[in-house]
Amino acid sequence: MNKILLIFTLLCHALWWSPDSQAQHSVDGLLPEANQDYQFDYTDIVPVKFDSFAAVAEWADVIAVAQVVNVDYQQTRELNAKGQAFLNVHVPYKGVNKNDLLVVSSKGFAPHNCYYPDRAGEGERFLVFLKKSKNEGEYHGFKPYCQLQILLTDTGEYALRYPLDLDFEIDSELVKHIQFNDPNARINVTDWTGISRDQHQLKYASTLTQEADMFQKFYYLTYTQGVMLYEIRKLMKITSKPRISSDQM
């Protein structure tokens, strides 16, 4: 967890904050915890089973491809106990705009609790389905739908890494072998057992590679399958709402 980056981010955002503003938080606005009186909403969200992306999209208040900016979690015995993740919207689909900042609060140790990985490099990207909390700009979600991994292809396009732990299957014709050009498509599994590596390969369609230096062998698993994001967009069946200009009001 990068505390220095978080503190620096808070200070920068504080310079741009207007206390009377009720607008959506953005990367150019104040992060709420900079206000000592701010109370995060830790209401637990009950997981729901879905039978399609259209059903998830109908349930969610916010749908977007978002990238992890930072996380601020309190831990108990090295497990996340509660806190916030901060995500920057790259591709908005529902309920938000590009460059909005999503503050996702979580609390507890249940497997569905929506904790995000600490930022490494540029930060991981996810397709997120979230519900609004009682606070403006703050959201709740549950796994896996709060963080479906998005990876860059070798042509610079977004693809949903597949398979994932969804409640439903995706049409096999949409699943493609993809050459990913994304650091998060390759994971270091040197410390894993051979059985764990084999299980991962079978479940997530990854391939194992080996490297070595003078002292040690290193093992990596690389994801090889995905569904192009434009195909997922079709499956969500989001109804576009016409924009009303000031001349129409």
Side-chain angles (χ1 to χ4, degrees):
M1 181 166 56
N2 193 333
K3 290 287 187 181
I4 295 177
L5 177 59
L6 178 60
I7 293 171
F8 176 77
T9 305
L10 299 180
L11 291 174
C12 290
H13 292 332
L15 296 176
W16 293 93
W17 179 62
S18 168
D20 296 326
S21 174
Q22 299 297 321
Q24 179 88 34
H25 295 300
S26 73
V27 292
D28 294 322
L30 177 70
L31 291 179
E33 72 274 36
N35 180 350
Q36 295 182 355
D37 296 326
Y38 192 91
Q39 297 294 318
F40 287 106
D41 179 6
Y42 288 111
T43 303
D44 189 26
I45 185 168
V46 179
V48 180
K49 284 190 174 292
F50 301 105
D51 59 8
S52 66
F53 270 113
V56 191
E58 183 178 2
W59 168 87
D61 295 321
V62 163
I63 307 171
V65 173
Q67 188 170 33
V68 175
V69 175
N70 214 328
V71 298
D72 185 19
Y73 295 134
Q74 297 179 25
Q75 293 189 327
T76 300
R77 296 187 179 90
E78 299 184 354
L79 295 175
N80 292 325
K82 75 172 184 177
Q84 285 69 45
F86 308 95
L87 291 81
N88 182 32
V89 173
H90 283 198
V91 182
Y93 289 117
K94 180 180 178 182
V96 286
N97 299 308
K98 187 175 181 179
N99 290 330
D100 280 350
L101 185 73
L102 307 178
V103 180
V104 183
S105 292
S106 298
K107 182 179 181 180
F109 301 99
H112 68 266
N113 286 148
C114 193
Y115 296 112
Y116 291 84
D118 199 355
R119 176 175 175 171
E122 294 183 353
E124 291 191 52
R125 302 173 185 86
F126 297 98
L127 176 62
V128 301
F129 296 85
L130 303 170
K131 295 292 282 188
K132 293 179 180 178
S133 78
K134 66 181 181 181
N135 298 324
E136 180 75 17
E138 184 183 1
Y139 303 92
H140 297 140
F142 63 90
K143 293 181 180 178
Y145 300 102
C146 65
Q147 49 178 268
L148 302 177
Q149 190 174 32
I150 294 292
L151 299 171
L152 278 174
T153 71
D154 59 352
T155 57
E157 298 174 276
Y158 284 149
L160 179 72
R161 192 255 297 170
Y162 195 80
L164 289 163
D165 298 320
L166 303 174
D167 298 320
F168 52 88
E169 298 292 331
I170 294 179
D171 185 347
S172 59
E173 292 187 1
L174 300 179
V175 180
K176 307 297 183 183
H177 181 85
I178 296 177
Q179 183 72 37
F180 291 111
N181 183 22
D182 191 308
N184 296 301
R186 187 174 187 247
I187 55 178
N188 189 332
V189 294
T190 303
D191 295 332
W192 293 19
T193 65
I195 293 176
S196 295
R197 294 170 195 154
D198 292 343
Q199 290 175 340
H200 190 282
Q201 285 185 266
L202 289 173
K203 185 174 182 179
Y204 296 108
S206 56
T207 58
L208 181 68
T209 55
Q210 177 183 314
E211 298 177 7
D213 58 21
M214 294 179 61
F215 307 100
Q216 184 180 359
K217 291 182 179 179
F218 300 91
Y219 296 92
Y220 298 90
L221 285 171
T222 302
Y223 296 117
T224 62
Q225 290 186 355
V227 181
M228 299 305 296
L229 190 58
Y230 57 78
E231 298 288 3
I232 301 298
R233 170 67 179 85
K234 297 175 186 176
L235 296 177
M236 290 191 287
K237 299 180 180 180
I238 300 172
T239 302
S240 300
K241 294 183 178 180
R243 295 184 177 183
I244 301 176
S245 67
S246 57
D247 295 336
Q248 295 173 296
M249 298 177 65

